[in-house]
Amino acid sequence: MTILVTGGAGYIGSHTVTDLLDYDEEVIVLDNLQKGHAQAVPPGILMRGDVRDPETLHEIFANYEIEAVIHFAADSLVGESAQEPLKYYDNNVIGAQRLLSAMQKHGVRKFVLSSTAAAYGEPQRVPIEESDQTVPTNPYGETKLAIEKMLHWCDAAYGLKSVALRYFNAAGAHPSGKIGEDHQPESHLIPIVLQVALGQREAIDIFGDDYPTTDGTCIRDYIHVMDLAQAHRLALHYLRRNNSSRVYNLGNGQGFSVKEVIAQAREVTGQAIPWLVSARRPGDPAVLVASAARAQAELGWCPAYTGLQEIIATAWNWHKHHPQGFAGV
Ligand code: UDP
């Protein structure tokens, strides 16, 4: 039986594919390569195609014995989603609907969703638990929550079982340094900070230092991409042994401010990393920290990278050796 990984050439998808292969799963990847990188996927398992294309989906489900789908293929930028909400409804919601329709037609009933902490919106308390209210403050979070709701009704109607994994801030790279984060253009904090360390940018722009936090900058819960990969594998095992759908937070349960991230990156890289302060980024909550107790108890999830410094060190190992990302691979 084969695991279909959509978006498996992207950042979190490619690390999950590597992990699944290490654990002897059979995997095929469907990716339109708009944001993903063919070089991030081992040879022979990549199909180039779009998750919204019913013919492509039919071909896959007809030709492979698919046991489960792990669905990463999506647009995932908060700021862009606010400017282009329909693009997000198209790729994320319609994409998931087509994929679930194909699964339903072909009798595939296990689904793992790449979801997000953005489903919560402004938290009422931290750490955030899965049962807390979900009121997204941007279309990205809204579209992921819409997929979670679609999954609920697909379970009720068709018996399709799912695990939705709400990630907090994914960071770091594979310990081999062979794959890592490469977004064009880059918008995430840690890769940008490391681009400053590499001399590719002059300074890091801190989006607001007047938040109600200890140093005024936003606090986030950074979780290593290989720990996210582990959680997807465990979610698959969960679906193999359980008959109920579930939502899980994935985070380390510890928050770091933007200034703390920069300070740790200075230590890891030995570079000065100058900063500037600019306006707040719309839609950014002051603090996002996960309670991952449920994933630990029910999935047996045990993050291996619990310190921010070791997370940044793996990212630095990737960026230092691949200053142009996958373009240099
Ligand atoms: N951030 C920043 N400057 C940047 C990019 C990000 O100050 O150039 C801040 C951002 O406001 C947030 C944190 O860093 O508080 C993490 O942002 P990122 O985009 O990495 O992840 P997100 O929290 O949006 O998922």
Side-chain angles (χ1 to χ4, degrees), residues 78 169 187-190 192 204-207 218 220 222 258 281 284:
V78 167
N169 286 62
S187 68
H188 295 101
L189 179 65
I190 291 177
I192 290 181
I204 170 77
D205 215 352
I206 297 177
F207 298 148
C218 285
R220 294 288 180 272
Y222 294 89
V258 174
R281 189 171 65 175
D284 263 344

Side-chain angles (χ1 to χ4, degrees), residues 192-314:
I192 290 181
V193 164
L194 297 179
Q195 286 174 350
V196 179
L198 281 171
Q200 295 175 336
R201 294 178 190 244
E202 290 201 348
I204 170 77
D205 215 352
I206 297 177
F207 298 148
D209 67 350
D210 57 350
Y211 284 94
T213 60
T214 38
D215 63 20
T217 64
C218 285
I219 291 178
R220 294 288 180 272
D221 182 340
Y222 294 89
I223 180 74
H224 198 276
V225 66
M226 290 311 297
D227 288 327
L228 295 181
Q230 179 204 144
H232 290 78
R233 171 168 41 84
L234 295 172
L236 193 60
H237 293 179
Y238 169 93
L239 289 171
R240 284 173 178 158
R241 67 174 188 268
N242 282 282
N243 205 29
S244 63
S245 297
R246 206 73 168 124
V247 175
Y248 294 102
N249 284 340
L250 299 178
N252 267 314
Q254 216 191 337
F256 293 94
S257 73
V258 174
K259 285 187 178 171
E260 284 171 335
V261 169
I262 298 170
Q264 294 274 357
R266 283 179 175 156
E267 274 191 38
V268 169
T269 63
Q271 302 295 316
I273 314 185
W275 77 52
L276 307 165
V277 177
S278 64
R280 290 183 177 196
R281 189 171 65 175
D284 263 344
V287 181
L288 284 177
V289 176
S291 163
R294 185 190 279 185
Q296 285 162 7
E298 296 181 12
L299 298 180
W301 184 54
C302 184
Y305 299 85
T306 51
L308 182 59
Q309 198 158 335
E310 52 179 343
I311 293 176
I312 295 177
T314 64

Side-chain angles (χ1 to χ4, degrees), residues 37-321:
H37 306 276
Q39 306 95 308
V41 182
I45 62 167
L46 174 64
M47 287 195 56
R48 186 174 185 168
D50 198 289
V51 82
R52 288 162 293 188
D53 177 19
E55 274 175 32
T56 299
L57 293 174
H58 177 72
E59 200 181 311
I60 291 173
F61 285 101
N63 287 314
Y64 292 85
E65 217 184 317
I66 304 292
E67 179 200 1
V69 176
I70 305 182
H71 181 45
F72 293 98
D75 286 311
S76 61
L77 298 176
V78 167
E80 182 189 62
S81 78
Q83 282 154 5
E84 295 184 69
L86 293 176
K87 174 178 175 185
Y88 279 68
Y89 276 86
D90 180 16
N91 198 14
N92 297 1
V93 180
I94 295 176
Q97 188 274 341
R98 300 246 164 97
L99 181 58
L100 290 163
S101 296
M103 287 175 66
Q104 197 244 331
K105 264 186 217 139
H106 292 270
V108 179
R109 293 206 176 78
K110 297 188 188 83
F111 190 88
V112 179
L113 175 67
S114 162
S115 191
T116 172
Y120 293 107
E122 189 69 48
Q124 293 181 303
R125 58 169 181 176
V126 283
I128 302 171
E129 292 181 12
E130 290 84 350
S131 54
D132 289 355
Q133 75 168 28
T134 45
V135 185
T137 50
N138 53 67
Y140 168 58
E142 194 74 73
T143 56
K144 289 287 181 166
L145 190 60
I147 302 171
E148 289 190 13
K149 290 183 177 170
M150 211 185 310
L151 289 170
H152 168 80
W153 295 112
C154 286
D155 186 351
Y158 317 126
L160 186 143
K161 302 299 170 191
S162 68
V163 169
L165 299 173
R166 293 181 180 158
Y167 325 143
F168 283 64
N169 286 62
H174 194 277
S176 69
K178 291 194 175 135
I179 54 172
E181 193 167 6
D182 178 4
H183 299 111
Q184 303 292 341
E186 190 51 73
S187 68
H188 295 101
L189 179 65
I190 291 177
I192 290 181
V193 164
L194 297 179
Q195 286 174 350
V196 179
L198 281 171
Q200 295 175 336
R201 294 178 190 244
E202 290 201 348
I204 170 77
D205 215 352
I206 297 177
F207 298 148
D209 67 350
D210 57 350
Y211 284 94
T213 60
T214 38
D215 63 20
T217 64
C218 285
I219 291 178
R220 294 288 180 272
D221 182 340
Y222 294 89
I223 180 74
H224 198 276
V225 66
M226 290 311 297
D227 288 327
L228 295 181
Q230 179 204 144
H232 290 78
R233 171 168 41 84
L234 295 172
L236 193 60
H237 293 179
Y238 169 93
L239 289 171
R240 284 173 178 158
R241 67 174 188 268
N242 282 282
N243 205 29
S244 63
S245 297
R246 206 73 168 124
V247 175
Y248 294 102
N249 284 340
L250 299 178
N252 267 314
Q254 216 191 337
F256 293 94
S257 73
V258 174
K259 285 187 178 171
E260 284 171 335
V261 169
I262 298 170
Q264 294 274 357
R266 283 179 175 156
E267 274 191 38
V268 169
T269 63
Q271 302 295 316
I273 314 185
W275 77 52
L276 307 165
V277 177
S278 64
R280 290 183 177 196
R281 189 171 65 175
D284 263 344
V287 181
L288 284 177
V289 176
S291 163
R294 185 190 279 185
Q296 285 162 7
E298 296 181 12
L299 298 180
W301 184 54
C302 184
Y305 299 85
T306 51
L308 182 59
Q309 198 158 335
E310 52 179 343
I311 293 176
I312 295 177
T314 64
W316 180 234
N317 184 41
W318 156 254
H319 287 285
K320 203 172 44 179
H321 292 108

